[in-house]
Amino acid sequence: MKKIEAIIKPFKLDDIREALGEQGITGMTVTEVKGFGRQKGHTELYRGAEYMVDFLPKVKIEIVLTDDMLDMCIETIMKTAQTGKIGDGKLFVYDVEQVVRIRTGEMDEAAI
């Protein structure tokens, strides 16, 4: 089993959720996060004063899935999240050793 963490632009979330749903992936965890990479933030004007915004708003999507769905999921997220501009985001893939559904006690792939 694998866990994908995707850091994306917030306005792409609904598109990604729909695209993954069409592929049969319905479970995910979404968190609003802030960060920066090569984008490095930007300056904004507030009440006449300019200030630096170091951390930009992003969304983190976490998905646990079976190994056979990994490539399709990565491809779907990449295709859907891509704008061609800096700050489109990153994907991280981790191995998952065990999953347990608390309510039923189901384990591993049955618990996904």
Side-chain angles (χ1 to χ4, degrees):
M1 295 172 296
K2 303 290 185 193
K3 177 181 180 181
I4 294 177
E5 284 186 8
I7 310 295
I8 60 163
K9 292 181 175 183
F11 68 89
K12 287 292 192 172
L13 177 61
D14 287 335
D15 295 339
I16 290 172
R17 186 179 51 80
E18 285 181 28
L20 290 173
E22 290 171 5
Q23 300 292 333
I25 297 173
T26 56
M28 65 181 66
T29 301
V30 177
T31 311
E32 292 180 6
V33 296
K34 292 184 178 189
F36 71 92
R38 290 186 183 162
Q39 259 181 306
K40 302 236 188 349
H42 61 280
T43 57
E44 287 190 5
L45 204 58
Y46 178 72
R47 293 188 177 183
E50 192 174 274
Y51 66 99
M52 184 68 179
V53 177
D54 291 328
F55 296 99
L56 301 172
K58 301 288 182 179
V59 171
K60 178 167 74 169
I61 301 171
E62 297 174 83
I63 303 167
V64 176
L65 38 71
T66 58
D67 291 349
D68 60 323
M69 296 185 79
L70 179 65
D71 292 335
M72 175 274 303
C73 185
I74 290 172
E75 186 177 316
T76 300
I77 293 171
M78 283 181 55
K79 184 172 59 175
T80 309
Q82 197 171 59
T83 66
K85 297 181 178 153
I86 194 167
D88 276 351
K90 295 261 192 312
L91 285 171
F92 304 94
V93 179
Y94 305 94
D95 286 322
V96 174
E97 290 185 29
Q98 188 174 26
V99 177
V100 179
R101 178 173 285 132
I102 295 171
R103 178 178 55 86
T104 62
E106 291 173 291
M107 300 192 70
D108 298 329
E109 292 181 8
I112 297 176

